[in-house]
Amino acid sequence: HNKPVTDIKFNRDGDLLFSVAKEPGACVWRTSDGHLIGKYNTDKATAGCDVNQESTIFATASFDLKAELWNVKTGDKIAEIDQPAPCRAVAFNHDDRMLAVISDKKMGNPGTINFYNLPETLGVEKVKTVFNPTISIKEADEAITCMAWGPTNQYMYYGTDKGRVVQWDVESQCEITSQVTHDDVVNRLHFDSNYLSLISASKDKTAKLLDSRDCKAFRTYTSDNPVNDACISPICDHILLGGGTDAQDVTTSTGASKFDVKFYHKVNEGYLGSLKCHFGTINTLQFSPSGRGFASGAVDGFVKIYNNFPQKYYTSPGSKPLWKHKSLCNDEEDEEYEENEEDEEDYTVDGGADADLTDL
């Protein structure tokens, strides 16, 4: 990309990676070799994106007051969904029957999440009807900055610019619980693979692990820079953090910003190490579905894919989960994990000969 990358998304199988930036055009990449497969001709800069479970429909949230739906295979635009204000994010629910769109608190409009029912023939036949929201969440005094669907499509979790994380019941259309988890803007929310906990990333230089039942924080990971994104490994007790000082704040900060991807131990909150990936603030990152690599996007316009962690990663602290959900254990596996006696030394990925980092 020629301008800052704003969002990336793996598809469910992990063989495709979608990226959008503050420029027209969204991209889809093959993760095995970083090959650019194709582009989607968005008209304006794009804030967020998502892809459905079957990797057939791709959604983008544009700054020009609309969400757009695309055919993944052909690149054709399927539909446009008009919004009252610039869009921040889009998210398909788990059965791909509904799309949620965040519109910003601008132009006299409240912070809003609009929910749209999607026709079953979407992507097969041309959409002839106008999309109207079936449900809306409105925050008069706060901007909604990010969101994540709960495990059964019943709940939507979202963060605000005042540090609040809210659990909202989509069916009954009411707030279940909310917690002020941060002192500043909540930039991202991501669930773990079991949907038992979620992680929030904030401008207050922390990421917090939250209980999905009440949104209360029970682990805190502290960085020396604002955290723009954080995610949870699906196979290890590892947390990944990315961020950095905004360009407009660099001259007023105490020194040069660090643009490293940082690894933390999920349970004891300890810093494990870092990987130098970018030359600018990291805006978005995500573990691959297999948990054996990750991807990141930054202000420098690069999308980078780390396909395979080196072997020493799997012997590092936290590489073997202390606990695993019973439903995920194989018959041959123990249902309980013994607590590992781990060294106190920091584990640092140096990006040397063992690294497999692909620049896109």
Side-chain angles (χ1 to χ4, degrees):
H1 293 277
N2 294 319
K3 291 190 176 180
V5 178
T6 53
D7 199 12
I8 59 172
K9 283 290 190 305
F10 281 101
N11 68 338
R12 184 176 61 175
D13 297 327
D15 59 334
L16 300 177
L17 179 71
F18 298 84
S19 64
V20 294
K22 291 183 178 180
E23 63 180 359
C27 298
V28 56
W29 313 86
R30 187 165 56 226
T31 58
S32 60
D33 57 7
H35 175 70
L36 176 62
I37 298 175
K39 288 189 175 183
Y40 305 93
N41 296 319
T42 58
D43 296 327
K44 300 292 183 180
T46 308
C49 64
D50 197 17
V51 61
N52 68 352
Q53 296 290 319
E54 301 300 324
S55 301
T56 56
I57 308 297
F58 176 56
T60 56
S62 299
F63 288 111
D64 60 346
L65 287 72
K66 61 185 176 183
E68 297 173 303
L69 300 177
W70 307 84
N71 185 304
V72 170
K73 185 176 181 179
T74 66
D76 296 332
K77 184 188 293 186
I78 299 172
E80 289 185 359
I81 305 175
D82 294 330
Q83 297 297 305
C87 298
R88 274 185 179 262
V90 288
F92 289 99
N93 69 350
H94 299 298
D95 58 10
D96 298 332
R97 296 182 179 180
M98 185 174 284
L99 180 74
V101 183
I102 295 178
S103 59
D104 212 348
K105 184 178 180 294
K106 291 182 178 179
M107 304 168 59
N109 295 290
T112 306
I113 303 179
N114 289 317
F115 296 82
Y116 300 89
N117 288 326
L118 301 178
E120 294 183 0
T121 57
L122 187 67
V124 179
E125 299 177 359
K126 186 177 181 179
V127 177
K128 299 179 181 180
T129 59
V130 177
F131 285 89
N132 293 308
T134 56
I135 305 168
S136 292
I137 303 173
K138 297 183 184 294
E139 291 284 354
D141 301 323
E142 299 175 77
I144 299 175
T145 55
C146 54
M147 62 181 171
W149 283 95
T152 61
N153 294 332
Q154 182 179 358
Y155 300 118
M156 172 63 77
Y157 295 76
Y158 64 88
T160 73
D161 63 342
K162 294 186 178 179
R164 202 160 60 99
V165 176
V166 180
Q167 181 187 13
W168 203 80
D169 193 311
V170 178
E171 294 182 1
S172 61
Q173 301 183 35
C174 65
E175 182 179 303
I176 302 299
T177 185
S178 70
Q179 301 288 340
V180 179
T181 58
H182 292 280
D183 299 327
D184 211 325
V185 180
V186 180
N187 289 319
R188 302 275 183 178
L189 291 173
H190 292 295
F191 272 93
D192 65 21
S193 57
N194 301 322
Y195 283 88
L196 300 177
S197 63
L198 66 160
I199 193 166
S200 58
S202 175
K203 193 177 179 181
D204 67 2
K205 301 182 181 181
T206 66
K208 296 188 177 183
L209 199 61
L210 313 178
D211 191 326
S212 63
R213 296 169 296 182
D214 55 17
C215 296
K216 291 183 178 179
F218 60 94
R219 291 289 186 274
T220 300
Y221 313 97
T222 304
S223 177
D224 53 359
N225 286 294
V227 182
N228 291 334
D229 206 349
C231 54
I232 305 169
S233 170
I235 61 172
C236 301
D237 279 341
H238 290 163
I239 300 293
L240 204 58
L241 266 62
T245 306
D246 291 338
Q248 62 187 6
D249 299 328
V250 169
T251 56
T252 60
S253 62
T254 56
S257 180
K258 297 179 181 179
F259 309 121
D260 301 345
V261 172
K262 299 178 180 179
F263 292 79
Y264 288 78
H265 195 291
K266 178 180 176 182
V267 178
N268 62 32
E269 307 173 357
Y271 171 74
L272 299 177
S274 63
L275 178 64
K276 291 179 172 60
C277 291
H278 295 276
F279 298 100
T281 301
I282 298 171
N283 287 332
T284 176
L285 51 80
Q286 190 177 13
F287 272 108
S288 64
S290 68
R292 299 185 181 279
F294 71 92
S296 59
V299 170
D300 57 13
F302 284 101
V303 175
K304 298 196 175 184
I305 301 175
Y306 197 105
N307 273 325
N308 296 292
F309 289 122
Q311 190 59 39
K312 61 182 179 180
Y313 175 82
Y314 301 104
T315 59
S316 67
S319 59
K320 294 183 179 180
L322 301 180
W323 177 87
K324 192 174 183 180
H325 197 275
K326 183 177 179 180
S327 63
L328 300 177
C329 292
N330 297 327
D331 294 336
E332 298 177 357
E333 292 180 326
D334 295 329
E335 294 181 4
E336 295 182 358
Y337 280 72
E338 296 181 358
E339 187 169 343
N340 299 313
E341 296 180 0
E342 299 169 336
D343 296 335
E344 295 297 330
E345 296 181 1
D346 285 348
Y347 166 68
T348 303
V349 183
D350 58 13
D354 292 330
D356 181 16
L357 194 62
T358 306
D359 296 359
L360 305 185

